[in-house]
Amino acid sequence: MTTTEPPDQPWLSGLSTTQRQVATCVDGPQLVTAGPGSGKTRTLCAWIVELLRAAQVASEDILAVTFTRRAARELSERLHQLLGAQTEQLLIGTFHRLALRLAPLPPSLHVVEEPTRLALIEQATIGSGSRKSPTSLLSLLSLRKGQHPDFDQRLQSGELSVSDEELQVFRHYTAQLRELGLCDLDDLLLRALHVIEAGTAQRQFRFIAVDEYQDISATQRALVVALGRTATVLAIGDPDQAIYSFRGGEIRHFLGFCDDFPSAQSRYLVENYRSTPQIVAASAAVIGPNPGRTAPPPEPKLPSGSPLHILRCPSQRSEAQRIVHEIERLVGGTSLLSHDSRQTSSWRAGSYGFSDLAILTRSVARADAIAQALSDAGLPFSRPSLARQKAGHTTVESIEPLYECDELEDQRIAVLTLHGAKGLEFTVVFLVGLEAGQLPGPGRSDEERAEERRLFYVGMTRAKELLYLSWNESAESMPSPFLREIPSELVSSEEKVKRRTPKPQLRLF
């Protein structure tokens, strides 16, 4: 259900009832669970415009925190359409951008460059007895800084849940940074939290929106709670899309919002305006078994589309070739497969452009094989790399591009990992390498398996019209158990994954 607002409130026009409730609630904290394709960014924009236009809040009193520069840019562009030049007066950016505004670095302190960071941690390992690589140690250090807002105290006391050797390395590395007048990116958040608690922050805000709240770490949560003592906080996200535990993101922080802000109202955006009903139903069936879920079932808003297509291939090589043939058919190329009588008329062969397509994999190695097959076929593709901070400066502009994917190139097929595809959408999506032991990975705990299921769900919900799910039988592989949870009526008759029937065992007596 949508509501029509007076002409003087165009930012609320066309919103659903729940979206409008979120946008017009400006007098208390909110926790909004926003499923895939539910109009999250539009709702967030409407809330900010409502503050400025209806509640007459000053621009400098509003903060919007996103997890990537890409998300910040999208939010800014959407707001510019509604606010024009006033958008430039808002602070919209990542946690690191916010940290630098709250606690600017003095001239004597700089952010360490990545090569220097690696060299320092490698030097710190000398004589420590640690067998971990410098990269692994830096990842562990970053994780612990995200998990512990009181990291500095824990480093001194040794309460970091690391080995004695690792503790020695971290202490040596930290001492080296201080001697050289350097800090790393994680230190920016710890510094910001310190100045807020000390009452010396350079900025204060009355209204704060935090996007992708399911991905925040304990340190980021502490930062939001500290700012929220004097501000109204809107937290929006989707716990079903929490896939970043390896960098400190934990669902419990999302679920704990109402403990941090007891007066908070909880709302759910369940309408899906992105995907066909078949994709919505299939992804809901996959994520459904995860424990502790509270969101109502999703409500698809688009007309019925094509069934899902499960590709069963003899090997990785044949899998890559099959995907190439499907792409050629979808964009109007010719191949034997494009004339296969098994294809249904609902597939709009030849009606897609290369930039409509994405190939998502669990691992970089699988992406390598796909990229090679595309290259051999002469198909244009874009494979973004991770952009790391390269300069040891202290300006917001030099710090903001943190560990996120480069821009996708126009008119090219996107080849991404599942983690790298988060926040994106494509008309046609291929999920590749869906074998048991790959997704989910082997030897997973219940909590890890739940995150693996969420990762699968994130991949499925990137698709708008067509979704291909691919696995291969090399080395006697079996399909991912998640595939078996997709209702058969949602899958093309070409290939339906059946539950494995155990072979009868020989009786010895």
Side-chain angles (χ1 to χ4, degrees), residues 55-103:
Q56 298 296 305
V57 176
S59 300
E60 58 268 22
D61 289 336
I62 300 173
L63 165 68
V65 183
T66 65
F67 265 80
T68 66
R69 183 180 51 165
R70 180 180 62 209
R73 183 171 58 253
E74 179 185 357
L75 182 58
S76 295
E77 290 171 352
R78 296 269 196 102
L79 284 170
H80 193 272
Q81 295 173 1
L82 297 168
L83 298 171
Q86 190 177 8
T87 305
E88 299 174 6
Q89 302 171 25
L90 299 168
L91 179 53
I92 303 171
T94 64
F95 271 101
H96 296 91
R97 182 181 178 91
L98 166 64
L100 283 174
R101 291 296 182 91
L102 294 171

Short mmCIF file of all heavy atoms in Angstrom, two decimals, residues 55-103:
data_model
loop_
_atom_site.label_atom_id
_atom_site.label_comp_id
_atom_site.label_asym_id
_atom_site.label_seq_id
_atom_site.Cartn_x
_atom_site.Cartn_y
_atom_site.Cartn_z
N ALA A 55 10.83 19.12 9.75
CA ALA A 55 11.23 19.36 11.14
C ALA A 55 12.18 20.54 11.28
O ALA A 55 12.55 20.90 12.40
CB ALA A 55 11.89 18.09 11.70
N GLN A 56 12.59 21.13 10.14
CA GLN A 56 13.44 22.33 10.16
C GLN A 56 14.75 22.11 10.91
O GLN A 56 15.23 22.97 11.64
CB GLN A 56 12.67 23.51 10.76
CG GLN A 56 11.43 23.90 9.99
CD GLN A 56 11.75 24.40 8.58
OE1 GLN A 56 12.54 25.33 8.41
NE2 GLN A 56 11.15 23.76 7.57
N VAL A 57 15.33 20.93 10.73
CA VAL A 57 16.62 20.62 11.34
C VAL A 57 17.72 21.21 10.46
O VAL A 57 17.65 21.16 9.23
CB VAL A 57 16.81 19.10 11.49
CG1 VAL A 57 18.20 18.76 12.02
CG2 VAL A 57 15.73 18.52 12.40
N ALA A 58 18.76 21.77 11.07
CA ALA A 58 19.88 22.34 10.32
C ALA A 58 20.71 21.22 9.68
O ALA A 58 20.88 20.15 10.26
CB ALA A 58 20.76 23.18 11.24
N SER A 59 21.24 21.46 8.50
CA SER A 59 22.01 20.45 7.77
C SER A 59 23.18 19.93 8.58
O SER A 59 23.48 18.73 8.56
CB SER A 59 22.52 21.05 6.45
OG SER A 59 21.46 21.47 5.63
N GLU A 60 23.87 20.83 9.29
CA GLU A 60 25.06 20.41 10.04
C GLU A 60 24.73 19.54 11.24
O GLU A 60 25.64 18.98 11.87
CB GLU A 60 25.85 21.63 10.49
CG GLU A 60 25.08 22.60 11.36
CD GLU A 60 24.41 23.69 10.56
OE1 GLU A 60 24.18 23.51 9.34
OE2 GLU A 60 24.12 24.75 11.15
N ASP A 61 23.45 19.40 11.57
CA ASP A 61 23.05 18.55 12.69
C ASP A 61 22.73 17.12 12.28
O ASP A 61 22.36 16.30 13.11
CB ASP A 61 21.80 19.15 13.38
CG ASP A 61 22.12 20.41 14.16
OD1 ASP A 61 23.29 20.58 14.56
OD2 ASP A 61 21.20 21.23 14.36
N ILE A 62 22.88 16.82 10.98
CA ILE A 62 22.51 15.51 10.45
C ILE A 62 23.76 14.77 9.96
O ILE A 62 24.60 15.33 9.27
CB ILE A 62 21.51 15.64 9.29
CG1 ILE A 62 20.24 16.35 9.77
CG2 ILE A 62 21.16 14.27 8.71
CD1 ILE A 62 19.26 16.67 8.66
N LEU A 63 23.85 13.50 10.32
CA LEU A 63 24.96 12.63 9.92
C LEU A 63 24.38 11.36 9.31
O LEU A 63 23.46 10.76 9.87
CB LEU A 63 25.82 12.28 11.13
CG LEU A 63 26.80 11.10 10.97
CD1 LEU A 63 27.91 11.45 9.99
CD2 LEU A 63 27.38 10.71 12.33
N ALA A 64 24.93 10.94 8.17
CA ALA A 64 24.57 9.65 7.57
C ALA A 64 25.84 8.84 7.38
O ALA A 64 26.76 9.28 6.69
CB ALA A 64 23.86 9.85 6.23
N VAL A 65 25.90 7.66 7.99
CA VAL A 65 27.09 6.81 7.94
C VAL A 65 26.81 5.61 7.05
O VAL A 65 25.80 4.91 7.22
CB VAL A 65 27.48 6.31 9.35
CG1 VAL A 65 28.77 5.49 9.29
CG2 VAL A 65 27.66 7.49 10.30
N THR A 66 27.69 5.39 6.10
CA THR A 66 27.60 4.23 5.21
C THR A 66 28.87 3.40 5.37
O THR A 66 29.85 3.83 5.96
CB THR A 66 27.47 4.67 3.75
OG1 THR A 66 28.67 5.35 3.35
CG2 THR A 66 26.27 5.59 3.56
N PHE A 67 28.86 2.19 4.78
CA PHE A 67 30.03 1.32 4.92
C PHE A 67 31.01 1.43 3.77
O PHE A 67 32.15 1.02 3.90
CB PHE A 67 29.58 -0.14 5.09
CG PHE A 67 29.47 -0.54 6.54
CD1 PHE A 67 28.36 -0.18 7.27
CD2 PHE A 67 30.50 -1.22 7.17
CE1 PHE A 67 28.27 -0.50 8.61
CE2 PHE A 67 30.42 -1.55 8.50
CZ PHE A 67 29.30 -1.18 9.23
N THR A 68 30.56 1.97 2.65
CA THR A 68 31.46 2.11 1.51
C THR A 68 31.30 3.48 0.90
O THR A 68 30.27 4.15 1.04
CB THR A 68 31.17 1.06 0.43
OG1 THR A 68 29.87 1.29 -0.13
CG2 THR A 68 31.25 -0.36 0.98
N ARG A 69 32.33 3.90 0.22
CA ARG A 69 32.28 5.16 -0.51
C ARG A 69 31.21 5.10 -1.59
O ARG A 69 30.52 6.09 -1.87
CB ARG A 69 33.65 5.44 -1.13
CG ARG A 69 33.75 6.76 -1.86
CD ARG A 69 35.12 6.96 -2.44
NE ARG A 69 35.56 5.82 -3.24
CZ ARG A 69 36.59 5.88 -4.07
NH1 ARG A 69 37.29 6.98 -4.19
NH2 ARG A 69 36.94 4.82 -4.75
N ARG A 70 31.05 3.93 -2.23
CA ARG A 70 30.04 3.76 -3.26
C ARG A 70 28.65 4.04 -2.70
O ARG A 70 27.83 4.73 -3.32
CB ARG A 70 30.12 2.35 -3.83
CG ARG A 70 29.11 2.04 -4.92
CD ARG A 70 29.29 0.61 -5.40
NE ARG A 70 29.05 -0.34 -4.33
CZ ARG A 70 29.62 -1.53 -4.25
NH1 ARG A 70 30.50 -1.90 -5.15
NH2 ARG A 70 29.33 -2.37 -3.26
N ALA A 71 28.36 3.48 -1.52
CA ALA A 71 27.05 3.69 -0.90
C ALA A 71 26.85 5.15 -0.52
O ALA A 71 25.75 5.71 -0.66
CB ALA A 71 26.91 2.80 0.33
N ALA A 72 27.90 5.80 -0.04
CA ALA A 72 27.81 7.22 0.31
C ALA A 72 27.52 8.06 -0.93
O ALA A 72 26.72 9.00 -0.89
CB ALA A 72 29.11 7.68 0.97
N ARG A 73 28.17 7.72 -2.03
CA ARG A 73 27.95 8.47 -3.27
C ARG A 73 26.52 8.28 -3.78
O ARG A 73 25.88 9.24 -4.22
CB ARG A 73 28.96 8.04 -4.32
CG ARG A 73 28.84 8.82 -5.61
CD ARG A 73 29.99 8.53 -6.56
NE ARG A 73 30.08 7.12 -6.89
CZ ARG A 73 31.03 6.31 -6.44
NH1 ARG A 73 31.96 6.75 -5.61
NH2 ARG A 73 31.05 5.04 -6.79
N GLU A 74 26.02 7.05 -3.71
CA GLU A 74 24.64 6.80 -4.15
C GLU A 74 23.66 7.59 -3.30
O GLU A 74 22.71 8.20 -3.82
CB GLU A 74 24.32 5.30 -4.07
CG GLU A 74 22.89 4.98 -4.50
CD GLU A 74 22.52 3.53 -4.31
OE1 GLU A 74 23.39 2.73 -3.90
OE2 GLU A 74 21.34 3.19 -4.56
N LEU A 75 23.85 7.59 -2.00
CA LEU A 75 22.96 8.33 -1.11
C LEU A 75 23.03 9.83 -1.41
O LEU A 75 21.99 10.51 -1.46
CB LEU A 75 23.35 8.06 0.35
CG LEU A 75 22.49 8.72 1.42
CD1 LEU A 75 21.02 8.32 1.28
CD2 LEU A 75 23.01 8.36 2.81
N SER A 76 24.22 10.34 -1.63
CA SER A 76 24.38 11.77 -1.94
C SER A 76 23.69 12.13 -3.25
O SER A 76 23.04 13.17 -3.35
CB SER A 76 25.87 12.12 -2.01
OG SER A 76 26.49 11.95 -0.76
N GLU A 77 23.84 11.26 -4.26
CA GLU A 77 23.21 11.54 -5.55
C GLU A 77 21.70 11.54 -5.44
O GLU A 77 21.02 12.38 -6.04
CB GLU A 77 23.68 10.50 -6.57
CG GLU A 77 25.16 10.66 -6.96
CD GLU A 77 25.65 9.51 -7.81
OE1 GLU A 77 24.90 8.52 -7.97
OE2 GLU A 77 26.79 9.59 -8.33
N ARG A 78 21.15 10.59 -4.68
CA ARG A 78 19.70 10.54 -4.50
C ARG A 78 19.21 11.79 -3.76
O ARG A 78 18.19 12.38 -4.11
CB ARG A 78 19.32 9.29 -3.70
CG ARG A 78 19.62 7.98 -4.37
CD ARG A 78 18.45 7.47 -5.20
NE ARG A 78 18.63 6.08 -5.51
CZ ARG A 78 18.00 5.07 -4.88
NH1 ARG A 78 17.16 5.34 -3.90
NH2 ARG A 78 18.22 3.82 -5.23
N LEU A 79 19.93 12.18 -2.73
CA LEU A 79 19.54 13.37 -1.96
C LEU A 79 19.66 14.64 -2.79
O LEU A 79 18.86 15.57 -2.64
CB LEU A 79 20.40 13.48 -0.70
CG LEU A 79 20.04 12.51 0.42
CD1 LEU A 79 21.10 12.53 1.52
CD2 LEU A 79 18.67 12.87 1.02
N HIS A 80 20.66 14.68 -3.67
CA HIS A 80 20.84 15.88 -4.50
C HIS A 80 19.63 16.10 -5.41
O HIS A 80 19.27 17.24 -5.71
CB HIS A 80 22.12 15.74 -5.34
CG HIS A 80 22.54 17.03 -5.97
ND1 HIS A 80 22.09 17.44 -7.20
CD2 HIS A 80 23.37 18.02 -5.52
CE1 HIS A 80 22.61 18.61 -7.50
NE2 HIS A 80 23.40 18.99 -6.50
N GLN A 81 19.00 15.01 -5.84
CA GLN A 81 17.80 15.14 -6.66
C GLN A 81 16.66 15.78 -5.89
O GLN A 81 15.78 16.41 -6.48
CB GLN A 81 17.38 13.76 -7.18
CG GLN A 81 18.40 13.12 -8.12
CD GLN A 81 18.03 11.70 -8.48
OE1 GLN A 81 16.99 11.18 -8.05
NE2 GLN A 81 18.87 11.04 -9.26
N LEU A 82 16.67 15.62 -4.58
CA LEU A 82 15.60 16.16 -3.73
C LEU A 82 15.97 17.50 -3.10
O LEU A 82 15.10 18.34 -2.87
CB LEU A 82 15.26 15.16 -2.62
CG LEU A 82 14.70 13.80 -3.07
CD1 LEU A 82 14.70 12.82 -1.90
CD2 LEU A 82 13.29 13.97 -3.62
N LEU A 83 17.25 17.69 -2.83
CA LEU A 83 17.68 18.86 -2.06
C LEU A 83 18.54 19.84 -2.84
O LEU A 83 18.73 20.98 -2.40
CB LEU A 83 18.49 18.40 -0.83
CG LEU A 83 17.77 17.54 0.20
CD1 LEU A 83 18.76 17.01 1.22
CD2 LEU A 83 16.66 18.35 0.88
N GLY A 84 19.08 19.41 -3.96
CA GLY A 84 19.98 20.27 -4.71
C GLY A 84 21.27 20.53 -3.95
O GLY A 84 21.83 19.64 -3.31
N ALA A 85 21.72 21.76 -3.98
CA ALA A 85 23.02 22.12 -3.40
C ALA A 85 23.06 21.94 -1.88
O ALA A 85 24.15 21.83 -1.30
CB ALA A 85 23.35 23.57 -3.75
N GLN A 86 21.91 21.88 -1.24
CA GLN A 86 21.90 21.70 0.22
C GLN A 86 22.53 20.38 0.64
O GLN A 86 23.01 20.24 1.77
CB GLN A 86 20.46 21.78 0.74
CG GLN A 86 20.36 21.84 2.26
CD GLN A 86 18.93 21.99 2.74
OE1 GLN A 86 17.98 21.90 1.96
NE2 GLN A 86 18.75 22.21 4.04
N THR A 87 22.57 19.40 -0.27
CA THR A 87 23.17 18.10 0.02
C THR A 87 24.62 18.25 0.44
O THR A 87 25.12 17.50 1.29
CB THR A 87 23.08 17.18 -1.21
OG1 THR A 87 21.72 17.09 -1.63
CG2 THR A 87 23.61 15.80 -0.90
N GLU A 88 25.31 19.23 -0.13
CA GLU A 88 26.74 19.41 0.15
C GLU A 88 27.00 19.82 1.59
O GLU A 88 28.12 19.71 2.08
CB GLU A 88 27.31 20.44 -0.81
CG GLU A 88 27.20 20.04 -2.27
CD GLU A 88 27.64 21.13 -3.21
OE1 GLU A 88 28.15 22.16 -2.71
OE2 GLU A 88 27.49 20.97 -4.44
N GLN A 89 25.97 20.30 2.28
CA GLN A 89 26.12 20.71 3.67
C GLN A 89 25.96 19.55 4.65
O GLN A 89 26.22 19.70 5.84
CB GLN A 89 25.11 21.81 4.01
CG GLN A 89 25.22 23.04 3.12
CD GLN A 89 24.07 24.01 3.34
OE1 GLN A 89 23.45 24.04 4.39
NE2 GLN A 89 23.78 24.82 2.32
N LEU A 90 25.53 18.39 4.15
CA LEU A 90 25.35 17.22 4.99
C LEU A 90 26.65 16.43 5.09
O LEU A 90 27.44 16.40 4.14
CB LEU A 90 24.27 16.30 4.41
CG LEU A 90 22.85 16.89 4.28
CD1 LEU A 90 22.00 15.98 3.42
CD2 LEU A 90 22.23 17.08 5.65
N LEU A 91 26.88 15.78 6.22
CA LEU A 91 28.02 14.88 6.35
C LEU A 91 27.55 13.46 6.05
O LEU A 91 26.81 12.86 6.82
CB LEU A 91 28.62 14.95 7.76
CG LEU A 91 29.81 14.02 8.01
CD1 LEU A 91 30.90 14.23 6.96
CD2 LEU A 91 30.38 14.22 9.41
N ILE A 92 27.97 12.96 4.90
CA ILE A 92 27.61 11.62 4.45
C ILE A 92 28.90 10.89 4.12
O ILE A 92 29.68 11.34 3.27
CB ILE A 92 26.72 11.67 3.19
CG1 ILE A 92 25.46 12.49 3.46
CG2 ILE A 92 26.35 10.26 2.74
CD1 ILE A 92 24.63 12.76 2.21
N GLY A 93 29.17 9.78 4.79
CA GLY A 93 30.42 9.08 4.52
C GLY A 93 30.59 7.85 5.38
O GLY A 93 29.71 7.47 6.15
N THR A 94 31.75 7.25 5.27
CA THR A 94 32.07 6.03 5.99
C THR A 94 32.40 6.34 7.45
O THR A 94 32.55 7.50 7.85
CB THR A 94 33.28 5.34 5.36
OG1 THR A 94 34.42 6.21 5.49
CG2 THR A 94 33.04 5.04 3.89
N PHE A 95 32.52 5.29 8.25
CA PHE A 95 32.92 5.46 9.65
C PHE A 95 34.29 6.15 9.75
O PHE A 95 34.51 6.95 10.66
CB PHE A 95 32.97 4.10 10.36
CG PHE A 95 31.66 3.70 10.97
CD1 PHE A 95 30.83 2.79 10.33
CD2 PHE A 95 31.25 4.21 12.19
CE1 PHE A 95 29.63 2.41 10.90
CE2 PHE A 95 30.04 3.84 12.77
CZ PHE A 95 29.22 2.94 12.12
N HIS A 96 35.17 5.86 8.83
CA HIS A 96 36.50 6.48 8.88
C HIS A 96 36.43 7.97 8.57
O HIS A 96 37.14 8.77 9.17
CB HIS A 96 37.45 5.76 7.91
CG HIS A 96 37.71 4.34 8.28
ND1 HIS A 96 36.95 3.31 7.81
CD2 HIS A 96 38.65 3.78 9.09
CE1 HIS A 96 37.39 2.17 8.30
NE2 HIS A 96 38.43 2.42 9.08
N ARG A 97 35.59 8.32 7.63
CA ARG A 97 35.39 9.74 7.32
C ARG A 97 34.83 10.46 8.54
O ARG A 97 35.27 11.57 8.89
CB ARG A 97 34.45 9.88 6.13
CG ARG A 97 34.21 11.32 5.67
CD ARG A 97 33.23 11.33 4.49
NE ARG A 97 32.94 12.68 4.06
CZ ARG A 97 33.61 13.34 3.13
NH1 ARG A 97 34.65 12.76 2.55
NH2 ARG A 97 33.27 14.56 2.78
N LEU A 98 33.84 9.84 9.19
CA LEU A 98 33.27 10.40 10.40
C LEU A 98 34.34 10.55 11.47
O LEU A 98 34.42 11.59 12.15
CB LEU A 98 32.14 9.50 10.91
CG LEU A 98 31.65 9.75 12.34
CD1 LEU A 98 31.04 11.14 12.46
CD2 LEU A 98 30.65 8.67 12.75
N ALA A 99 35.17 9.53 11.64
CA ALA A 99 36.20 9.55 12.68
C ALA A 99 37.14 10.73 12.51
O ALA A 99 37.54 11.38 13.48
CB ALA A 99 36.97 8.24 12.69
N LEU A 100 37.50 11.03 11.27
CA LEU A 100 38.40 12.15 11.03
C LEU A 100 37.74 13.49 11.30
O LEU A 100 38.41 14.46 11.65
CB LEU A 100 38.92 12.10 9.59
CG LEU A 100 40.01 11.06 9.31
CD1 LEU A 100 40.33 11.01 7.83
CD2 LEU A 100 41.26 11.37 10.11
N ARG A 101 36.43 13.56 11.14
CA ARG A 101 35.72 14.80 11.48
C ARG A 101 35.60 14.96 13.00
O ARG A 101 35.67 16.08 13.51
CB ARG A 101 34.33 14.79 10.85
CG ARG A 101 34.35 14.90 9.34
CD ARG A 101 34.92 16.23 8.87
NE ARG A 101 34.90 16.35 7.42
CZ ARG A 101 33.90 16.87 6.72
NH1 ARG A 101 32.83 17.31 7.35
NH2 ARG A 101 33.96 16.93 5.40
N LEU A 102 35.42 13.86 13.69
CA LEU A 102 35.29 13.93 15.15
C LEU A 102 36.64 14.16 15.82
O LEU A 102 36.73 14.90 16.81
CB LEU A 102 34.68 12.63 15.68
CG LEU A 102 33.24 12.33 15.27
CD1 LEU A 102 32.86 10.92 15.70
CD2 LEU A 102 32.27 13.34 15.87
N ALA A 103 37.67 13.54 15.28
CA ALA A 103 39.00 13.63 15.88
C ALA A 103 40.04 13.82 14.77
O ALA A 103 40.72 12.88 14.38
CB ALA A 103 39.31 12.37 16.68
#
